[in-house]
Amino acid sequence: MSELSKHLPAEQRRGVIIKTVLELAGKQNPKEITTAAIAKHMGLTQGALFRHFTNKDAILQAVMEWIAERLLSGIDKAIDAQSSPSCILEGMFMAHVDFITEHPGVPRMLFGELQRSEETAPKRIAQIVIRRYAERLNRVFEQGKACGEIDAKIDNEAAATLFIGTIQGLTMQSLIVGDVSHMRRNAQKVFAIYQRGIRSAI
């Protein structure tokens, strides 16, 4: 870290800490990321880190809030960019894939928090993200049914689960092969199969 970056305003420093955690999460199990590791990666002392966050859970909460804001913002932009429900779904799918490709630590953070047995603020945020994502999908499915693009018999909840689960499957495959770009290379082909499954036969 440069000398210039050691003298950032508080809000910018918090942002750098969040991005540092995501960077580390892209390389290792988030559970193993310590405040000492974060501080070392940034060239700071733990004391300097704790001037911005009271403890590790506060850092994780800020990271999850960052993920929630940016992922849902990207999804909303994809929704606003298209008028056809089918095109909206494809835009949402690709926006999500692009977000993960750009921030490979994100799925590790989400999976890690959702797997925690105890109730924590970061876990609640992860659950809220999934719920709000599904709500957006539900609205698009209803629009698609109304205009005849999506099969009216499709169960919206199941379709949303499969949509999100398909992206999660692509994510897991990319983690297995150790290449996050694997997602982007296969996303269009995988989405085409999903789309055929929900498309109206009319």
Side-chain angles (χ1 to χ4, degrees), residues 11-160:
E11 193 59 34
Q12 288 185 30
R13 172 57 53 77
R14 286 170 62 90
V16 173
I17 292 170
I18 289 168
K19 290 180 181 178
T20 298
V21 173
L22 286 172
E23 183 179 341
L24 291 171
K27 302 173 183 176
Q28 65 185 93
N29 186 336
K31 289 175 65 175
E32 299 172 356
I33 298 174
T34 64
T35 53
I38 298 168
K40 181 179 179 181
H41 193 79
M42 296 181 66
L44 301 174
T45 64
Q46 286 193 70
L49 199 67
F50 291 138
R51 283 200 289 272
H52 301 280
F53 295 99
T54 54
N55 52 39
K56 182 180 175 180
D57 279 343
I59 295 173
L60 293 179
Q61 181 174 341
V63 171
M64 293 305 299
E65 288 170 349
W66 186 95
I67 292 172
E69 179 184 346
R70 281 156 182 78
L71 175 59
L72 293 177
S73 175
I75 295 301
D76 287 339
K77 287 178 182 177
I79 292 172
D80 293 340
Q82 302 288 344
S83 57
S84 161
S86 294
C87 291
I88 290 173
L89 287 175
E90 183 174 3
M92 292 173 69
F93 194 92
M94 294 309 300
H96 193 158
V97 168
D98 287 343
F99 182 70
I100 292 174
T101 302
E102 292 166 12
H103 307 286
V106 165
R108 290 177 182 268
M109 294 295 302
L110 284 170
F111 291 152
E113 290 304 321
L114 290 171
Q115 288 174 12
R116 291 175 71 168
S117 58
E118 70 274 24
E119 284 298 322
T120 64
K123 181 178 179 179
R124 285 194 295 274
I125 294 169
Q127 292 168 331
I128 291 170
V129 170
I130 298 299
R131 186 174 69 247
R132 290 181 178 172
Y133 197 139
E135 289 169 354
R136 286 160 168 77
L137 285 168
N138 184 69
R139 290 196 291 270
V140 180
F141 293 147
E142 287 301 313
Q143 293 170 11
K145 290 178 180 181
C147 71
E149 287 187 7
I150 295 176
D151 188 341
K153 298 177 184 177
I154 290 293
D155 181 283
N156 289 3
E157 184 177 351

